[in-house]
Amino acid sequence: MTVPAKLFQQWLTAVAGGTSHAAVCRAAGIKRSTLAQQLVRGRVSLGTVAAVSRSLDLPVVQSLATFPAFADLPQGIKAPGQAELLSQISDVDLLTEILNRNLASEQGRSPDPVTLTPAPHRSSVRSWIDAIDATDLRQKLARQAAIAPQNLSAQISANRLNPELAIESARIGQVGLTNGLVATGFLTPLEAGWDPEARAAALRATPHSVLASLAAQRLEAMSRILRRVEDDSQDAQSVWENLG
């Protein structure tokens, strides 16, 4: 997703004054050539807007809201639900919590708290989509975004989802509009308006049986991915053997 270059330049002038593009790029950690190419093409990426905002200590969501396509983002901020919060806890952290609880139960004590790794994790996009998908979110998203279902599935499987699709997914799922941007790594949980302790609190509040069921689902999904990778590797090896 992009924003018009003209609007970007107007915004940049408003927030950075007469600062040169070279100085802006250095502060934002982006290549000068990258910004120049985007301006020439007439479209500037949301990643560029976010990087410049962070370099100027501006709220990313508020910066995006200055562009018409994202004007409703601030009003669309909602606290994530329990399922969304759990979706942004990595497989390793989830399993560690289960093991800690089991060990604590055997020893008759309280479980050790898990220090959560930062969001997103290796399957955060798929986990978030699954958390908000009541029935046919993927099909609705593909239709509304005019994207082939297989292309959408490929993005989700690769743990990628462009900001436009993440926001549209949130609209369809009727959750906070910035929540999907956390799952994709475009925003940090704090930038999206999440309570810093929300994920840890959700993990502690979830019954052991629910965590075990969730872990089983995650492991099954991982197993399918690993099987595909192994099959592809075997097929490639067979081709090389036949060629040899």
Side-chain angles (χ1 to χ4, degrees), residues 10-242:
Q10 291 173 353
W11 170 76
L12 186 61
T13 298
V15 299
T19 306
S20 69
H21 285 178
V24 167
C25 289
R26 280 197 302 273
I30 56 179
K31 293 182 179 179
R32 175 69 182 88
S33 59
T34 298
L35 177 58
Q37 289 171 1
Q38 292 177 6
L39 293 175
V40 168
R41 292 170 183 164
R43 307 297 300 181
V44 175
S45 74
L46 297 189
T48 296
V49 176
V52 173
S53 297
R54 293 183 181 111
S55 72
L56 297 172
D57 293 325
L58 298 173
V60 177
V61 173
Q62 294 297 333
S63 293
L64 292 175
T66 62
F67 301 95
F70 305 100
D72 62 343
L73 271 188
Q75 290 72 37
I77 291 177
K78 296 178 185 176
Q82 186 86 348
E84 287 184 278
L85 291 168
L86 291 176
S87 78
Q88 297 312 298
I89 294 174
S90 72
D91 299 346
V92 171
D93 291 345
L94 190 63
L95 292 171
T96 299
E97 174 71 12
I98 292 172
L99 292 175
N100 284 356
R101 290 188 186 187
N102 286 342
L103 182 60
S105 177
E106 292 174 359
Q107 297 177 349
R109 59 175 179 80
S110 298
D112 296 328
V114 176
T115 300
L116 299 180
T117 53
H121 57 84
R122 60 186 292 175
S123 60
S124 56
V125 172
R126 187 192 68 246
S127 296
W128 178 71
I129 291 289
D130 289 343
I132 67 170
D133 186 6
T135 50
D136 56 354
L137 185 147
R138 288 170 172 80
Q139 293 86 342
K140 288 181 179 178
L141 180 60
R143 287 197 302 269
Q144 293 185 19
I147 181 174
Q150 61 268 30
N151 292 340
L152 176 61
S153 295
Q155 282 196 47
I156 294 173
S157 296
N159 208 39
R160 293 194 303 268
L161 201 62
N162 70 46
E164 180 184 23
L165 293 179
I167 293 171
E168 190 58 32
S169 297
R171 294 187 195 280
I172 296 171
Q174 298 183 343
V175 297
L177 296 186
T178 58
N179 292 355
L181 298 177
V182 174
T184 64
F186 184 83
L187 293 178
T188 67
L190 193 60
E191 289 173 336
W194 292 20
D195 183 325
E197 300 300 321
R199 291 191 304 145
L203 183 61
R204 290 193 301 269
T206 302
H208 202 36
S209 59
V210 175
L211 289 185
S213 177
L214 180 58
Q217 294 171 20
R218 296 266 194 98
L219 291 174
E220 175 58 30
M222 186 186 301
S223 175
R224 290 195 297 269
I225 293 172
L226 291 175
R227 281 198 296 269
R228 285 198 297 267
V229 171
E230 290 167 354
D231 290 343
D232 290 345
S233 178
Q234 290 175 359
D235 290 343
Q237 183 63 31
S238 297
V239 169
W240 282 111
E241 289 175 353
N242 292 331

